[in-house]
Amino acid sequence: DIPAGDLGQGLVRYAEQSGRQILYTSDQVSGRSTQGVRGSQTADAALSTLLLGTGLVPVQSRPGVYTLS
């Protein structure tokens, strides 16, 4: 699970748990929050849930590496 709260902290937890690398600037996540992720989900579904309502979209740049835009 990833608790609701600061988006930057949520993305760090997501990367630790999924083994994926998420690239973003501090300006992109500053002041944004996440509803968090609960339960067992695929890595793709968890990332979508984590970013829901933020206006950010993950773009896969290579296997296991995503850039937020």
Side-chain angles (χ1 to χ4, degrees):
D1 289 356
I2 299 172
D6 180 75
L7 179 60
Q9 291 176 359
L11 289 167
V12 169
R13 297 273 306 262
Y14 172 83
E16 291 170 350
Q17 292 179 22
S18 69
R20 291 180 169 186
Q21 186 176 13
I22 310 297
L23 306 176
Y24 55 90
T25 66
S26 59
D27 287 342
Q28 285 178 294
V29 299
S30 179
R32 293 188 182 184
S33 60
T34 179
Q35 67 180 8
V37 179
R38 296 192 59 119
S40 180
Q41 298 183 23
T42 66
D44 287 339
L47 185 55
S48 292
T49 300
L50 193 67
L51 295 175
L52 193 63
T54 66
L56 297 171
V57 177
V59 177
Q60 186 173 12
S61 54
R62 60 183 187 268
V65 180
Y66 293 79
T67 302
L68 299 185
S69 62

